[in-house]
């Protein structure tokens, strides 16, 4: 009664299905939603990563442009400062222009014109005063009146703007670029000036180093002619022909600088990063799922264990009550002295003794079990003849087996050596196994007990022709409280402790308990001891 007592306010434990549902809702569903969300966002992040790369490439191009511009600025400064002292409509001081051109091979010529650009007063080229150059310049300036006016206006506000212009190609030998700007002498008198650049040389000798530096082994930077797509320069030989980012060079209206990643394209890099993310996501999911699985499994085991334990309590209380009730009933009958013959009395006494033995066995099992659980069961090892133990245990079983009509086959090997063991413990293990064989055997009441020596083991086999044990339970029946679920063992009551105790005892002796079974045909349990030569006598 006490064991069945459960106050109403104690919550019923969750069912395993409830636990599975909670895990599903709390863990699996969020993970699933998150994964789907992430995967659907992957294409977006691919273009995001690509954008970042593109911007990075753009910055590299920008810095090259900026550098070219800085160089041009330095040159216009040098020209203005060199010219200033002579001033007015005057030419460069003697030697200045030659020396300037000598220092900067990318410059083809410098010139000075009046502030309207109508009259080119001085022009110094690489090969002296070159007339075709002068002619082309004149054509250009004639067409750029508004620009020159604007440069002049800006210069009155102290701002010296540089405007690159492409020279007209008069003779089919290429145009070239002039940088036009307005400068002022010491008295503030303005003049239009220009620096004619050699595009290819500028790109190669001024920008080249810079572009190689910016490329840094990771990128290929090239310069193209916009008009016909020709490649003028490449930071490195190879697949630079197809840049992913292009920018016009501010200084050269006809040139573009382009950049691409070496080897992979931005698209490929972005994709490989994204697919790496995907792999991480999948791995994470797998870890989470297996975590959930582990939790689910251990909860399931735990719940099963709790169930087995409560079965145990109800079985044990049944096992305690049945013999007690019998003993009491028989004792009371005897006490009242209403029994007729002596024979009947003897039968009643016998039943009382048998039931007491059963009770003792059960209580011993329980006590030993709890001591064993705590690891406090002492074993007194001494040389032991297994045949003797088998005989004495079978003797105690014979009344029961006889009355139930068991046929017993004994197959003892008289030559087996002694084993070192605790007699009481070995008896207990054997009793538990024999008890099962008797208890679970159905109509086929057959029992064979054999001893012998196999390799380096000495064994006792206990064979029955009972229902056998399904493969999936062959290990589990040795677990504490575990009982093969009905209908396999419908009638027999038990605690689920017997085999756990037997295995514990055998392992404490350095031996083992094993099972071979064919469902429907029977089971053979084997208690095996290690054979040690020094115990041989
Ligand atoms: P119990 O107290 O239930 O007998 P045991 O630990 O001794 O506990 O046995 C565990 C379970 O193994 C039993 O409930 C029974 O289902 C199964 N079993 C044990 N021995 C046999 C046997 N000889 N034949 C069939 N089933 C067996």
């Amino acid at each position: 009664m006490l064991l069945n007592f459960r106050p109403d306010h104690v919550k019923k434990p969750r069912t395993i299905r409830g636990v599975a549902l909670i895990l599903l809702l709390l863990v699996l569903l969020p993970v699933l939603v998150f994964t789907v969300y992430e995967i659907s966002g992957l294409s977006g992040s691919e273009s995001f990563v690509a954008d970042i790369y593109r911007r990075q490439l753009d910055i590299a191009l920008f810095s090259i442009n900026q550098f070219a511009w800085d160089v041009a600025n330095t040159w216009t400064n040098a020209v203005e400062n060199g010219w200033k002292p002579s001033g007015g409509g005057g030419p460069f001081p003697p030697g200045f222009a030659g020396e300037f051109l000598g220092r900067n091979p990318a410059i083809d010529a410098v010139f000075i014109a009046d502030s309207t650009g109508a009259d080119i007063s001085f022009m110094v080229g690489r090969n002296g005063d070159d007339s075709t150059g002068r002619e082309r310049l004149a054509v250009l300036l004639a067409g750029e009146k508004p620009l020159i006016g604007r440069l002049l206006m800006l210069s009155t506000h102290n701002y010296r703007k540089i405007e690159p212009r492409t020279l007209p190609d008069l003779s089919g030998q290429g145009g070239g670029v002039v940088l036009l700007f307005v400068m002022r002498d010491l008295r503030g008198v303005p003049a239009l000036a220009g620096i004619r650049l050699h595009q290819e040389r500028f790109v190669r000798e001024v920008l080249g180093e810079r572009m190689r530096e910016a490329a840094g082994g990771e990128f290929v930077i090239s310069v193209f002619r916009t008009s016909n797509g020709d490649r003028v320069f490449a930071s490195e030989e190879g697949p630079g022909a197809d840049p992913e980012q292009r920018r016009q060079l501010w200084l050269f209206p006809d040139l573009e600088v382009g950049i691409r990643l070496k080897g992979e394209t931005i698209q490929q890099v972005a994709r490989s990063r994204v697919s790496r993310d995907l792999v991480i996501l999948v791995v994470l999911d797998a870890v989470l799922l297996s975590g959930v699985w582990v939790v689910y499994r251990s909860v399931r085991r735990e719940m099963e264990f709790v169930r087995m334990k409560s079965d145990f309590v109800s079985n044990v209380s049944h096992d305690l009550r049945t013999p007690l009730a019998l003993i009491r009933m028989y004792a009371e009958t005897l006490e009242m002295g209403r029994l007729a013959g002596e024979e009947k009395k003897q039968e009643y006494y016998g039943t009382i003794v048998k039931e007491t033995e059963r009770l003792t066995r059960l209580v011993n099992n329980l006590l030993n079990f709890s001591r064993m659980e705590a690891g406090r069961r002492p074993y007194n090892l001494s040389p032991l003849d297994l045949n003797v133990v088998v005989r004495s245990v079978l003797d105690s079983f014979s009344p029961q087996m006889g009355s139930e009509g068991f046929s017993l086959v004994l197959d003892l090997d008289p030559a087996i050596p002694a084993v070192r063991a605790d007699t009481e413990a070995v008896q207990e293990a054997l009793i538990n196994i024999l008890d099962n064989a008797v208890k679970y055997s159905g109509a086929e009441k057959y029992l064979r007990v054999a001893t012998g020596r196999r390799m380096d083991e000495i064994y006792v086999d206990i064979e029955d022709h009972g229902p056998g044990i399904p493969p999936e339970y062959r290990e589990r029946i040795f677990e504490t409280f575990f009982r093969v679920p009905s209908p396999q063992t419908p009638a027999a009551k038990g605690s689920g402790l017997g085999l756990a105790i037997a295995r514990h005892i055998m392992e404490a002796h350095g031996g083992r308990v094993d099972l071979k079974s064919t469902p429907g045909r029977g089971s053979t349990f084997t208690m095996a001891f290690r054979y040690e030569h020094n115990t041989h006598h």
Side-chain angles (χ1 to χ4, degrees):
M1 297 153 293
L2 187 69
L3 295 165
N4 292 333
F5 174 73
R6 180 191 276 151
D8 287 343
H9 65 268
V10 174
K11 272 201 205 148
K12 259 179 92 174
R14 286 188 217 289
T15 59
I16 188 68
R17 204 175 300 159
V19 172
L21 202 70
I22 287 171
L23 283 177
L24 197 75
L25 284 179
L26 251 54
V27 184
L28 292 185
L29 216 59
V31 166
L32 204 73
V33 169
F34 177 73
T35 305
V36 168
Y37 173 79
E38 277 291 293
I39 288 176
S40 67
L42 279 183
S43 57
S45 62
E46 191 175 314
S47 66
F48 178 70
V49 171
D51 262 5
I52 290 179
Y53 268 100
R54 222 162 266 136
R55 214 158 300 151
Q56 211 174 321
L57 295 189
D58 228 24
I59 289 170
L61 297 187
F62 186 90
S63 82
I64 289 164
N65 245 333
Q66 187 66 50
F67 178 75
W69 196 256
D70 286 347
V71 170
N73 219 22
T74 318
W75 284 344
T76 55
N77 269 340
V79 169
E80 178 164 18
N81 291 336
W83 168 77
K84 245 184 206 332
S86 45
F92 292 114
F96 168 81
E99 197 247 350
F100 183 62
L101 291 181
R103 253 188 301 126
N104 300 297
I107 299 176
D108 267 350
V110 283
F111 73 86
I112 303 171
D114 69 319
S115 59
T116 65
D119 177 18
I120 302 168
S121 41
F122 297 99
M123 170 133 177
V124 186
R126 209 153 271 290
N127 316 308
D129 189 351
D130 112 53
S131 55
T132 54
R134 191 184 268 262
E135 201 181 322
R136 277 149 58 201
L137 194 59
V139 173
L140 172 76
L141 293 184
E144 293 287 4
K145 290 276 183 259
L147 170 74
I148 295 167
R150 215 167 63 239
L151 291 179
L152 194 60
M153 191 268 287
L154 289 172
S155 116
T156 60
H157 291 97
N158 259 336
Y159 177 53
R160 197 190 60 216
K161 192 173 194 305
I162 303 169
E163 281 288 350
R165 280 297 177 274
T166 309
L167 279 170
D169 186 1
L170 294 180
S171 48
Q173 33 172 231
V177 164
V178 266
L179 307 176
L180 298 177
F181 59 99
V182 167
M183 56 187 186
R184 287 176 185 267
D185 70 7
L186 291 172
R187 283 166 297 145
V189 180
L192 181 72
I195 296 174
R196 206 174 88 208
L197 297 177
H198 190 285
Q199 286 196 129
E200 278 78 9
R201 247 184 269 139
F202 185 90
V203 168
R204 241 184 300 117
E205 281 159 38
V206 180
L207 291 185
E209 189 50 35
R210 180 72 186 197
M211 289 193 280
R212 256 175 233 114
E213 217 171 83
E218 263 185 83
F219 307 106
V220 180
I221 298 180
S222 338
V223 176
F224 301 86
R225 212 180 285 287
T226 316
S227 45
N228 57 11
D230 284 354
R231 184 145 69 143
V232 183
F233 171 88
S235 68
E236 140 174 12
E237 287 316 311
D242 189 18
E244 291 183 279
Q245 283 299 94
R246 284 168 179 264
R247 279 273 164 161
Q248 224 214 322
L249 273 174
W250 298 331
L251 226 39
F252 302 106
D254 188 35
L255 292 187
E256 271 182 341
V257 55
I259 187 167
R260 60 164 291 142
L261 285 167
K262 229 163 121 179
E264 287 175 302
T265 65
I266 289 181
Q267 230 27 273
Q268 286 166 329
V269 169
R271 191 155 304 149
S272 76
R273 274 196 50 166
V274 164
S275 60
R276 203 185 54 205
D277 285 355
L278 191 68
V279 166
I280 290 174
L281 192 71
V282 166
V283 167
L284 253 167
D285 275 6
V287 168
L288 257 169
L289 290 188
S290 49
V292 166
W293 176 239
V294 166
V295 168
Y296 173 76
R297 268 214 352 210
S298 66
V299 168
R300 202 180 57 183
R301 287 208 138 218
E302 200 59 36
M303 290 176 76
E304 205 172 311
F305 189 72
V306 167
R307 187 187 53 72
M308 291 190 313
K309 227 171 185 167
S310 82
D311 284 358
F312 163 76
V313 169
S314 76
N315 286 343
V316 164
S317 53
H318 174 272
D319 279 10
L320 286 172
R321 231 180 306 156
T322 317
L324 269 180
L326 279 175
I327 291 167
R328 180 164 178 181
M329 192 182 82
Y330 283 61
E332 277 173 359
T333 316
L334 286 167
E335 192 187 30
M336 284 184 272
R338 284 215 219 108
L339 280 179
E342 188 61 24
E343 205 177 305
K344 202 80 184 157
K345 270 191 199 165
Q346 284 308 319
E347 190 195 320
Y348 274 39
Y349 285 131
T351 309
I352 289 174
V353 170
K354 207 181 78 194
E355 291 302 316
T356 319
E357 273 169 1
R358 210 171 114 191
L359 213 64
T360 312
R361 212 183 298 147
L362 181 64
V363 171
N364 273 345
N365 257 359
L366 289 175
L367 289 179
N368 283 337
F369 172 70
S370 60
R371 264 198 292 174
M372 246 164 31
E373 284 259 280
R376 278 191 284 110
R377 177 168 187 173
Y379 292 102
N380 302 316
L381 302 187
S382 58
L384 181 76
D385 185 344
L386 279 179
N387 291 334
V388 172
V389 174
V390 167
R391 280 214 174 81
S392 81
V393 170
L394 280 175
D395 273 350
S396 69
F397 268 90
S398 64
Q400 187 187 358
M401 287 171 53
S403 67
E404 290 184 20
F406 261 88
S407 61
L408 174 68
V409 177
L410 261 187
D411 222 345
L412 305 184
D413 176 358
I416 52 168
V419 294
R420 272 184 70 77
D422 181 313
T423 315
E424 221 176 277
V426 172
Q427 274 178 344
E428 188 183 339
L430 186 58
I431 287 172
N432 285 341
I433 294 171
L434 279 174
D435 193 35
N436 283 344
V438 172
K439 198 161 59 169
Y440 296 112
S441 281
E444 283 272 354
K445 298 195 185 302
Y446 169 89
L447 189 68
R448 178 177 166 272
V449 181
T451 57
R453 192 172 128 191
R454 238 186 320 250
M455 321 281 277
D456 48 359
E457 279 183 336
I458 299 159
Y459 66 86
V460 183
D461 278 346
I462 300 101
E463 181 187 342
D464 66 51
H465 286 178
I469 292 152
E472 65 268 32
Y473 298 126
R474 274 178 209 160
E475 258 313 299
R476 300 210 61 196
I477 55 168
F478 293 101
E479 286 174 20
T480 318
F481 304 135
F482 184 85
R483 312 195 67 224
V484 176
S486 7
Q488 270 90 349
T489 52
K493 278 277 175 184
S495 56
L497 285 184
L499 291 179
I501 291 174
R503 173 162 276 187
H504 195 289
I505 289 172
M506 288 310 292
E507 281 173 0
H509 282 82
R512 61 192 174 90
V513 181
D514 270 341
L515 164 65
K516 285 195 193 63
S517 180
T518 317
R521 301 281 296 277
S523 321
T524 304
F525 286 85
T526 300
M527 297 166 65
F529 295 84
R530 265 203 322 248
Y531 169 49
E532 291 161 46
H533 295 266
N534 52 3
T535 57
H536 195 215
H537 57 190

